[in-house]
Amino acid sequence: MVMRTVESVFKVMILLGVLVIAKSEVYIVTIEGEPVVSYKGGIDGFEATAVESDEKLDVTSDLVTSYSIHLEQRHDTLLETLFDDGNYKKLYSYKHLINGFAVHVSPEQAEMLRRAPGVKSVDRDWKVRKLTTHTPQFLGLPTGVWPTGGGFDRAGEEIVIGFVDSGISPNHPSFQNKNAEPYGPLPKYRGKCEVDPATKKSFCNGKIVGAQHFAAAATAAGVFNPSVDFASPMDGDGHGSHTAAIAAGNNGIPVQVQGYEFGKASGMAPRARIAVYKALYRAFGGFVADVVAAIDQAVYDGVDILNLSVGPNSPPATTKTTFLNPFDATLLSAVKAGVFVAQAAGNEGPMPKTIVSYSPWIASVAAAVDDRRYKNHLTLGNGKMLAGMGLSPSTSPNQKFTMVAANDVLLDSSASKFSPSDCQAPEVLNGNMVKGNILLCGYSFNFVSGSACIKKVAQTAKSLGAIGFVLAVENASPGTKFEPVPVGMPGILITDVKNSMDLIDYYNVSTIRDWTGRVKSFKAIGSIGEGLEPILYKSAPMVALFSARGPNIKDYKFQDADLLKPDILAPGSLIWSSWSANGTDEANYEGENFAMISGTSMAAPHIAGIAALIKQKHPHWSPAAIKSALMTTSSTLDRAERPILAEQNSGSDTMTFVPATPFDYGSGHVNPRAALDPGLVFDAGYEDYLGFLCTTPGIDSREIGNYTHRPCNYTLGHPYNLNTPSITVSHLVGTQTVTRTVTNVDEEETYTITARMAPAIAIETSPPAMTIGPGASQKFTVTLTVRSTTGAYSFGEVVLKGNRGHKVRMPVVANGYDR
């Protein structure tokens, strides 16, 4: 899985950083005064630049330019007043979404900044990490969605999706502009295109309209290496190319790996433009100061959609709440400027409260396993057939081959200290004994830690002339997730420990040894099946084991929030997409142009691409309206019309499946066709989000003002009254009434309102029905009453069913208490 080894690397880096980091660190500072997005005038010589909620910034305006220069001059003046030249380094000025800067100073200097007049907040920078085909067909895009917009060659036309990630491989066929109708100019977007230092060519080509990199904070931290990390938008990891192609890659690109084709790849919105903001790097992840600079630039440049397959290691401890910090405050201003934001929910599932995407203005995306599974099998000479996985061709049909274990074909017994059973080092094995046979290898901890990989096993077997290989898992931690890898020769991974024991028992019984234990004769035989073709299952989608779970939290003490997260479920397991040949994020795909990997990193760009299709059809919809359309039309049923299941640890070496809840999938699995025509939307804007912050217990109104520059003069009564397409009451005592407002985005329609809830909570709605005209809005209430306290959350839903066929569904979550 994408995240496990990456996370361990980050933890090691953080631990090492405590020991070796220089005294100076990066701090993100906000100061008094409105940023461009919310400045309403009042300073002599500078007219207002504020946008109304969901309105795009006019970046061509001289007013915006002059006010931006004014803010940057204020940042410089403050620093020059406090510190001597050379004793600090300003990394970025943030002007458009928040008013502040990132600076490299000592902790003592940071304290001076905190005490300086006009300084609102000083936060020490923290690290972020990556939260890391067939899915267009699985989601019904070719037949149900693309035709409504003029076909795949128009799907996403004129929409710009920004990717804050690890860069892009610009020459990949998923991003080329050779066979498609040439892209015309796009005046609304004004992003820059960096030049590749190696080739002197621009990263942009019409499909890619912007390409920039941000590494000032990483450089200041001493971890950026230009020769390895590329001081350009070039993807040295693979992750950024993968996510960009999922959302907006060209249609019909052959997926060829190890000499075999695994179908055709396409983005969700194959005609959408791509804008690259590289702020993640393969060795160390990224820093919030760089990510905030990338987001600020992306919104200024004019992106419509922002994809963030990135998140913090944990809730930021520098602020009292998960909703207020430089990262989330920047995204709040991005949404105010009309940009829809999709963020990966996190990969630390299946434990509760593992979500790392918290705020209501963000669409937080969980990962699903879709209907495609890759299976393979090993047939033994005794007739037993052992299930496994491996994207490989079969051995010759109707023929079995001798099997030899790596530990039995060592050139020298001293080689045993090099873990020869891993089959990573062909030089320690006897090629004469391996040639023409099936090589048996052991799946050790080295594969989990990343020091061994399946691709290297295949290379070892091939170099020694083996017919194929078997990699057997002899022990596994509960819930360990194995994924198939293309290997280009017959090969299989036996993941079930019981099957591995059956294989080992058969091999030991069949192998004749002398009194010293040396093999006299290899008699075990077997054959490897064909694993190149996927099997399609009706029990899909399912919530992936690794996908982060709710309930959402409001602070770093992990107190429950009155807000549902994740928001929605999208494909995120075993996703084929483009890869960078330079990429080292996944050892099994080094040097390849495509990779099949898993993570909520892969789920988020599915939503970003589908949001682009909605934005194309409804260009004036707010980010909240787009998010509402996605959520209220999603499904809680799989393809067999049964309730969606979630993968879960069973406490043994196997995985089990349990009924999924909104804490697993939010509102449900995305349904793109229905999302284009939702009937009603739950809309919300900047003022509503401020009301949510001002109403959330434990948030200091001064802290809200530090980031938003607005007083708390508007509250919602309770945070659960924020007009979201879900209801969460984390501490329900007695009876509570929740209000929601829906807006009709279609023709006049009469809706009946029904509700159901688990027995511990009674639920009532009012009115029972309502008729809403085109463009009109109407309120309704949902009343929840505690019947019994169970110590656990209860789940239910409210359904608004229209007489013209629309169905609007909203999940309801509540935990009842006596007091």
Side-chain angles (χ1 to χ4, degrees):
M1 189 174 64
V2 172
M3 282 298 302
R4 297 298 181 186
T5 56
V6 173
E7 181 203 4
S8 63
V9 170
F10 288 169
K11 284 181 177 175
V12 171
M13 291 294 292
I14 291 168
L15 289 171
L16 288 175
V18 174
L19 298 175
V20 302
I21 197 163
K23 190 174 182 182
S24 289
E25 296 185 80
V26 176
Y27 293 84
I28 300 173
V29 181
T30 61
I31 67 171
E32 286 181 350
E34 303 270 8
V36 168
V37 74
S38 53
Y39 172 61
K40 294 184 176 181
I43 301 174
D44 289 344
F46 299 99
E47 295 185 33
T49 58
V51 297
E52 297 301 319
S53 189
D54 312 320
E55 181 188 343
K56 283 279 188 179
L57 274 174
D58 181 8
V59 296
T60 62
S61 163
D62 290 338
L63 299 178
V64 169
T65 302
S66 63
Y67 186 63
S68 297
I69 293 170
H70 164 72
L71 291 180
E72 184 157 7
Q73 288 173 344
R74 283 192 59 205
H75 303 162
D76 294 339
T77 300
L78 174 62
L79 289 167
E80 290 165 2
T81 302
L82 288 175
F83 309 126
D84 293 335
D85 191 30
N87 286 346
Y88 69 92
K89 183 176 182 182
K90 189 187 77 170
L91 308 179
Y92 300 106
S93 270
Y94 306 126
K95 302 161 290 191
H96 308 113
L97 305 180
I98 59 174
N99 177 18
F101 52 86
V103 63
H104 192 230
V105 292
S106 69
E108 293 78 12
Q109 289 173 303
E111 193 56 39
M112 290 175 65
L113 276 166
R114 282 192 183 92
R115 295 197 301 264
V119 171
K120 289 285 194 177
S121 65
V122 178
D123 293 292
R124 185 162 57 87
D125 197 10
W126 68 99
K127 296 188 80 171
V128 294
R129 57 185 177 181
K130 295 161 289 183
L131 298 171
T132 299
T133 114
H134 164 77
T135 47
Q137 287 74 27
F138 177 66
L139 295 172
L141 295 174
T143 57
V145 176
W146 290 345
T148 66
F152 74 85
D153 53 350
R154 288 289 179 270
E157 185 79 71
E158 303 294 298
I159 303 297
V160 180
I161 306 178
F163 297 88
V164 178
D165 214 298
S166 67
I168 199 163
S169 183
N171 297 319
H172 194 284
S174 289
F175 313 122
Q176 287 292 293
N177 188 21
K178 294 178 180 176
N179 301 322
E181 178 184 333
Y183 285 94
L186 199 63
K188 72 174 185 179
Y189 180 80
R190 55 178 284 173
K192 294 183 294 188
C193 287
E194 292 184 22
V195 172
D196 188 340
T199 65
K200 308 304 180 188
K201 292 182 179 179
S202 170
F203 276 85
C204 296
N205 59 11
K207 172 72 172 178
I208 302 171
V209 292
Q212 302 170 60
H213 83 287
F214 301 81
T219 302
V223 296
F224 182 76
N225 182 346
S227 63
V228 175
D229 298 310
F230 299 111
S232 77
M234 178 62 72
D235 187 2
D237 180 285
H239 192 270
S241 299
H242 202 274
T243 56
I246 290 171
N250 291 330
N251 181 63
I253 305 301
V255 178
Q256 295 176 336
V257 180
Q258 295 285 338
Y260 295 92
E261 184 173 312
F262 294 92
K264 302 284 196 298
S266 173
M268 302 296 101
R271 188 67 178 175
R273 314 290 186 100
I274 292 170
V276 177
Y277 299 87
K278 178 179 172 180
L280 298 180
Y281 298 87
R282 57 186 176 185
F284 55 86
F287 292 85
V288 168
D290 290 328
V291 171
V292 168
I295 295 168
D296 188 75
Q297 189 65 51
V299 175
Y300 176 78
D301 290 344
V303 302
D304 298 293
I305 311 289
L306 198 56
N307 181 78
L308 296 172
S309 291
V310 55
N313 291 339
S314 62
T318 53
T319 52
K320 292 185 177 67
T321 173
T322 52
F323 310 128
L324 266 186
N325 55 73
F327 179 72
D328 285 80
T330 300
L331 292 176
L332 174 57
S333 289
V335 169
K336 184 185 183 192
V339 177
F340 175 88
V341 180
Q343 185 185 15
N347 287 354
E348 295 303 311
M351 295 297 291
K353 297 190 180 185
T354 46
I355 201 92
V356 294
S357 175
Y358 313 104
S359 296
W361 44 90
I362 301 167
S364 307
V365 189
V369 179
D370 67 17
D371 61 345
R372 183 190 54 197
R373 315 277 199 283
Y374 287 95
K375 303 285 187 180
N376 206 338
H377 62 273
L378 170 69
T379 304
L380 304 179
N382 61 6
K384 273 194 176 181
M385 186 179 290
L386 306 180
M389 60 176 62
L391 300 176
S392 79
S394 65
T395 50
S396 299
N398 304 316
Q399 186 177 355
K400 289 187 169 57
F401 297 87
T402 300
M403 297 191 291
V404 299
N407 283 339
D408 288 330
V409 294
L410 298 180
L411 283 171
D412 185 335
S413 60
S414 67
S416 59
K417 64 184 178 183
F418 298 111
S419 301
S421 64
D422 287 354
C423 297
Q424 302 294 293
E427 64 273 12
V428 305
L429 303 179
N430 188 330
N432 292 328
M433 299 177 75
V434 175
K435 187 174 181 180
N437 297 322
I438 294 175
L439 179 63
L440 301 186
C441 310
Y443 189 96
S444 69
F445 178 75
N446 292 338
F447 288 88
V448 180
S449 68
S451 59
C453 68
I454 296 174
K455 182 176 183 178
K456 184 63 177 176
V457 176
Q459 291 172 345
T460 295
K462 193 174 292 185
S463 69
L464 296 174
I467 287 293
F469 69 88
V470 178
L471 189 57
V473 178
E474 297 181 54
N475 54 70
S477 301
T480 300
K481 184 78 170 166
F482 300 100
E483 298 190 345
V485 174
V487 290
M489 70 179 299
I492 186 170
L493 172 66
I494 306 295
T495 59
D496 188 295
V497 173
K498 182 180 180 302
N499 285 345
S500 294
M501 292 300 104
D502 287 345
L503 167 62
I504 292 167
D505 289 345
Y506 167 72
Y507 177 81
N508 286 336
V509 167
S510 305
T511 302
I512 302 170
R513 303 174 185 272
D514 64 19
W515 65 275
T516 67
R518 291 183 60 183
V519 175
K520 293 173 61 178
S521 179
F522 294 99
K523 296 294 186 181
I525 58 174
S527 62
I528 298 170
E530 192 268 318
L532 295 171
E533 293 295 325
I535 301 169
L536 300 182
Y537 284 70
K538 284 191 174 181
S539 58
M542 286 192 290
V543 181
L545 183 73
F546 57 82
S547 186
R549 309 300 211 258
N552 192 16
I553 56 174
K554 63 183 180 182
D555 55 34
Y556 61 89
K557 295 178 182 176
F558 286 81
Q559 294 188 80
D560 292 10
D562 288 324
L563 178 72
L564 181 63
K565 289 290 176 174
D567 291 306
I568 197 163
L569 183 69
S573 180
L574 305 182
I575 304 298
W576 279 114
S577 190
S578 70
W579 198 246
S580 171
N582 302 314
T584 59
D585 187 44
E586 285 287 310
N588 290 314
Y589 294 100
E590 283 190 27
E592 302 290 351
N593 281 323
F594 291 90
M596 181 174 64
I597 57 177
S598 301
T600 53
S601 282
M602 287 67 249
H606 281 89
I607 294 300
I610 296 165
L613 299 177
I614 299 173
K615 183 76 172 178
Q616 180 188 16
K617 183 176 181 182
H618 306 284
H620 301 297
W621 279 14
S622 69
I626 294 173
K627 178 180 170 183
S628 173
L630 289 162
M631 291 178 65
T632 61
T633 59
S634 62
S635 175
T636 59
L637 301 178
D638 65 18
R639 296 186 70 171
E641 296 296 312
R642 295 182 297 237
I644 290 175
L645 299 175
E647 295 181 339
Q648 185 61 258
N649 290 334
S650 66
S652 66
D653 58 2
T654 60
M655 188 167 55
T656 188
F657 306 97
V658 299
T661 75
F663 289 153
D664 303 316
Y665 56 49
S667 59
H669 192 270
V670 64
N671 180 344
R673 184 173 187 173
L676 290 175
D677 181 23
L680 303 173
V681 296
F682 295 80
D683 212 348
Y686 188 69
E687 295 291 335
D688 300 296
Y689 296 130
L690 288 181
F692 169 82
L693 293 173
C694 293
T695 310
T696 298
I699 302 184
D700 189 330
S701 61
R702 289 173 299 179
E703 192 176 357
I704 296 172
N706 289 345
Y707 288 106
T708 67
H709 304 276
R710 299 284 291 276
C712 269
N713 53 13
Y714 169 56
T715 67
L716 304 173
H718 294 281
Y720 49 68
N721 280 325
L722 177 66
N723 202 44
T724 60
S726 64
I727 293 174
T728 299
V729 183
S730 63
H731 194 100
L732 176 64
V733 177
T735 298
Q736 294 288 344
T737 297
V738 181
T739 302
R740 287 292 183 269
T741 301
V742 288
T743 301
N744 190 354
V745 291
D746 207 314
E747 298 176 17
E748 180 176 295
E749 193 164 1
T750 298
Y751 287 86
T752 57
I753 307 176
T754 59
R756 62 178 182 84
M757 197 77 188
I761 307 290
I763 186 169
E764 294 180 0
T765 59
S766 180
M770 52 190 182
T771 299
I772 314 176
S777 298
Q778 194 159 327
K779 294 181 184 293
F780 68 94
T781 60
V782 179
T783 301
L784 302 172
T785 302
V786 178
R787 282 177 169 161
S788 61
T789 55
T790 63
Y793 277 92
S794 297
F795 304 102
E797 65 179 10
V798 173
V799 176
L800 293 84
K801 195 167 184 179
N803 64 342
R804 297 184 59 251
H806 290 111
K807 181 180 178 182
V808 177
R809 194 181 52 79
M810 177 176 66
V812 180
V813 178
N815 197 353
Y817 289 83
D818 292 325
R819 54 189 175 86

